[in-house]
């Protein structure tokens, strides 16, 4: 473990923090448009740090009492973090154990994982430095968005809320252009979501997202299976 691991992690985390600042700004505006207070929006971001999970969560919250829908949606959306944790645990050095894993595991996100997994040996100092700026960037963006969302006209807020959905489209679109199979799965998932919206309006948004994601992924695995040789390549 090097003494400058923490500083190196901080530097590597700056681009992620800047990206989170803009994305969470949209979440803050969306939370304010749903009637949440600034404190509630910021607490959600500081205690969860999961863009897709937060988006689904605030939609479920609009229908109080749907605890099972909230549980299923969050387990489905955030299950990937468990697999990321298992992968990173194989790279953790000898000092990265016990309570440190419990505490620093909170910082795992898609982008932080992408950088951390490139390390030959992952030290707690580096991972802490890598996660701290994105964490506060996510919280700060939510704070700014919620503050502005409480004073901006409804027309402007509704327009800015689209930015959150645009972020997910921007994540999926480049890969879908490269892979026709992935594009078919995405289109099938979108079609299922439309059917749920029009044919089963009583189904909550969070539960609908979970159901469509699982069905689309399952169909993709059946129709477009990936052989072990392809995974290795």
């Amino acid at each position: 473990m090097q003494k400058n691991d923490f500083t190196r992690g901080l530097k590597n985390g700056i681009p992620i923090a800047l990206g989170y600042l803009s994305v969470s700004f949209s979440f803050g505006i969306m939370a304010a448009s749903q009637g949440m207070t600034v404190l509630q929006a910021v607490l959600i971001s500081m205690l969860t740090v999961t863009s897709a999970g937060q988006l689904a969560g605030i939609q479920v919250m609009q229908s109080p009492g749907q605890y099972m829908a909230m549980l299923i949606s969050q387990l489905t959306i955030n299950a990937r973090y468990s697999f990321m944790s298992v992968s990173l645990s194989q790279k953790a050095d000898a000092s990265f154990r016990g309570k440190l894993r419990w505490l620093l595991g909170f910082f795992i996100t898609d982008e932080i994982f992408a950088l951390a997994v490139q390390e030959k040996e992952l030290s707690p100092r580096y991972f802490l430095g890598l996660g701290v700026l994105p964490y506060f960037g996510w919280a700060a963006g939510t704070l700014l968005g919620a503050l502005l969302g409480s004073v901006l006209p409804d027309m402007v807020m509704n327009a800015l809320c689209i930015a959150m959905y645009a972020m997910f489209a921007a994540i999926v679109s480049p890969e879908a252009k490269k892979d026709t199979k992935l594009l078919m799965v995405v289109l099938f998932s979108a079609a299922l979501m439309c059917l749920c919206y029009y044919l089963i309006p009583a189904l909550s948004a969070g539960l609908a997202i979970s159901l469509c994601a699982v069905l689309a992924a399952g169909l993709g695995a059946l129709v477009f299976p990936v052989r072990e040789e392809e995974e290795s390549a």
Side-chain angles (χ1 to χ4, degrees), residues 15-72:
I16 301 177
L18 294 176
Y20 282 3
L21 189 67
S22 59
V23 174
S24 61
F25 180 83
S26 300
F27 170 76
I29 289 178
M30 182 174 289
S33 71
Q34 298 289 346
M36 292 187 175
T37 66
V38 174
L39 179 60
Q40 288 172 333
V42 174
L43 282 177
I44 289 174
S45 282
M46 294 189 74
L47 295 176
T48 57
V49 198
T50 164
S51 55
Q54 290 177 212
L55 175 61
I58 61 173
Q59 292 176 339
V60 176
M61 287 178 188
Q62 300 312 304
S63 303
Q66 297 192 17
Y67 301 114
M68 285 305 298
M70 177 69 80
L71 176 63
I72 294 172

Side-chain angles (χ1 to χ4, degrees), residues 45-219:
S45 282
M46 294 189 74
L47 295 176
T48 57
V49 198
T50 164
S51 55
Q54 290 177 212
L55 175 61
I58 61 173
Q59 292 176 339
V60 176
M61 287 178 188
Q62 300 312 304
S63 303
Q66 297 192 17
Y67 301 114
M68 285 305 298
M70 177 69 80
L71 176 63
I72 294 172
S73 65
Q74 295 305 309
L75 283 176
T76 304
I77 294 170
N78 297 320
R80 67 189 189 278
Y81 295 130
S82 299
F83 298 106
M84 293 179 188
S85 300
V86 172
S87 177
L88 289 180
S89 68
Q90 307 304 309
K91 291 179 171 288
D93 66 19
S95 64
F96 206 150
R97 61 177 59 186
K99 293 181 180 179
L100 285 176
R101 293 197 179 193
W102 285 94
L103 294 173
L104 297 182
F106 176 73
F107 286 134
I108 293 180
T109 64
D110 301 292
E111 294 77 14
I112 291 175
F113 169 78
L115 289 182
V117 78
Q118 297 178 30
E119 294 289 301
K120 291 183 178 180
E121 191 174 45
L122 186 63
S123 72
R125 281 177 173 270
Y126 174 77
F127 195 75
L128 176 62
L130 184 61
V132 67
L133 289 182
Y135 174 74
F136 285 110
W138 185 260
T142 302
L143 175 62
L144 293 174
L147 286 173
L148 286 177
S150 61
V151 297
L152 290 175
D154 291 340
M155 181 173 64
V156 177
M157 287 175 60
N158 291 334
L160 289 173
C161 283
I162 298 176
M164 181 67 78
Y165 299 99
M167 179 200 70
F168 294 119
I171 292 173
V172 175
S173 297
E175 293 302 320
K177 287 181 180 179
K178 301 176 185 176
D179 192 340
T180 306
K181 297 176 182 178
L182 177 59
L183 177 61
M184 296 300 294
V185 173
V186 171
L187 292 177
F188 179 67
S189 179
L192 280 178
M193 194 66 189
C194 291
L195 288 175
C196 287
Y197 181 81
Y198 289 107
L199 300 181
I200 320 176
L203 190 65
S204 69
L207 192 55
I209 291 173
S210 301
L211 180 63
C212 294
V214 171
L215 288 176
L219 181 66

